[in-house]
Amino acid sequence: MRKAFICPTKYVQGENEIKNLGYFVKTFGESALLIAHPDDVKRVKDKLDETSKKYGVTFVESDFHGECSRQEVARLQQTAKDHKCSCTIGLGGGKAIDTAKCVAEGEALIIVPTIAATDAPTSHSAVLYTPEGAFDDYAYFKQSPSVILIDTTVIAQAPVRFLVSGMGDALSTYFEARATASSYSNVNAGLPCGAREETCSPAKGTNTALALAKLCYQTLLTDGRKAKAACECGQVTQALENIIETNILLSGLGFESGGLAGAHAIHDGLTILEGTHKYFHGEKVAFGTIAQLVLENAPKEELEAVLDFCLDLGLPVCLRDIGVESITAEELQEVAKKSCIPEESIHAMPFPVTEEAVAAAIITADRIGEAYKVKRGVSA
Ligand SMILES: [Zn+2]
């Protein structure tokens, strides 16, 4: 059986770690193309100036336009060439990070997430959009990022909703990796020429990735509530450090090498509902996780542990919590249909999945979540 594991070369996190960014740039050369939204640069400007001086490196500002499009990527690659940049830095949230991955094309790349809202920073894939902001395509690269550098002070001071949303994304990781392992589904990890089945032969997940996914879930249960409190005060504590590592590293390695299954596919289906659009990825994934647990008829204790976690953190447990006040039978059917298209990860579940079963799981998860809120005395 062919198995594979893929990961970034270096991961480093610490208080004020951006002050060491110059050190990592220096390992590649004298200058780096800095892809970041101007607001994010402003937040860390002092640290960038300090590290640039200390290590004698130059950050070439890129005037990033905020959208990860083919046009923007081509423009930035030209800027990098013009300034003879020896590496690329993606600093900020999802779009800056994805754009940096596309510009670097698997070469020297430093990712500096300023929020811990998803597990995307560690992965070797990105999402391309049209200049108008519509979905274009997925992009995969020959290598994962060279360095993931996380300044925990910056994450602690970011809005707490990002951190909680990242925990929602991380919540699904173990259950999806477990399902993928049970079904011996391909995870498409660690492949030499990109991750698409049509370009190379796929591989199964490793025990390593499954163990990391398990640790991801355990750490959420142990430290999630404490980390949220720390972030509410803007403070770095050990619990917050553990959750930053969980949201970004454990969840990232767990999903990329352990595989996705029901939760993310149901998330994808839910995105066709207008009401969900103002909710973050991880918030919708949290509800998708509950729906997957219903779909696979997980034990009551497990389902209740997840519901308790979500309610304590303020993560969604029912459709109303992700902006869906009511849903028609036709809409539910459409959501289930999108969740079950042939290329979706839902087919990594260890049993045949039908649209009817997914629709039933979503509506039942909604009912269970609503009832659990009443039981726990959570209003609205
Ligand atoms: Zn995700």
Side-chain angles (χ1 to χ4, degrees), residues 118-119 169 172 176 255 260 264 281-282 285:
T118 72
D119 51 22
D169 198 23
S172 73
E176 295 191 276
F255 106 80
L260 295 175
H264 271 76
H281 172 79
V285 169

Side-chain angles (χ1 to χ4, degrees), residues 302-322:
E302 189 170 81
L303 182 58
E304 290 190 352
V306 168
L307 286 165
D308 280 327
F309 177 78
C310 288
L311 289 180
D312 288 350
L313 268 294
L315 281 166
V317 297
C318 58
L319 289 172
R320 246 187 332 143
D321 291 349
I322 49 169

